[in-house]
Amino acid sequence: KNMSLGYGKCLKCGKVLNDGFCSVCGLPFRFQFCLGERRGVLKELISEFKYNSNKAAGAKLVELIGESAGFDKDAIIVPLPTIMKHVRERGFGQTE
């Protein structure tokens, strides 16, 4: 499935949003955007950027996000919080 603007579930805990806000985990954002599922080319770009510090892959991700969401150049993009399983494995949440 393709997730985009208007995705109706919390991107942190997966519960249904109430007026764009998650009352379960309290994610403090009224708006969320998901470019797509992490598979195929998108998975490769994310892995290259995240694990190999590939700046060209990062630039392409920014371009894709901007085009898909219609963000202007002043938009601020914040990372999705790390899932609890990975926090327990690593001992910290790298996006915090």
Side-chain angles (χ1 to χ4, degrees), residues 23-35:
S23 59
V24 176
C25 71
L27 193 63
F29 304 108
R30 285 265 187 218
F31 174 82
Q32 60 182 1
F33 169 80
C34 183
L35 181 61

Side-chain angles (χ1 to χ4, degrees), residues 41-62:
V41 174
L42 189 54
K43 181 178 180 177
E44 291 175 31
L45 284 171
I46 292 168
S47 293
E48 275 298 310
F49 180 63
K50 184 175 180 179
Y51 301 116
N52 298 324
S53 301
N54 183 326
K55 291 184 181 186
K60 187 61 179 175
L61 285 168
V62 168

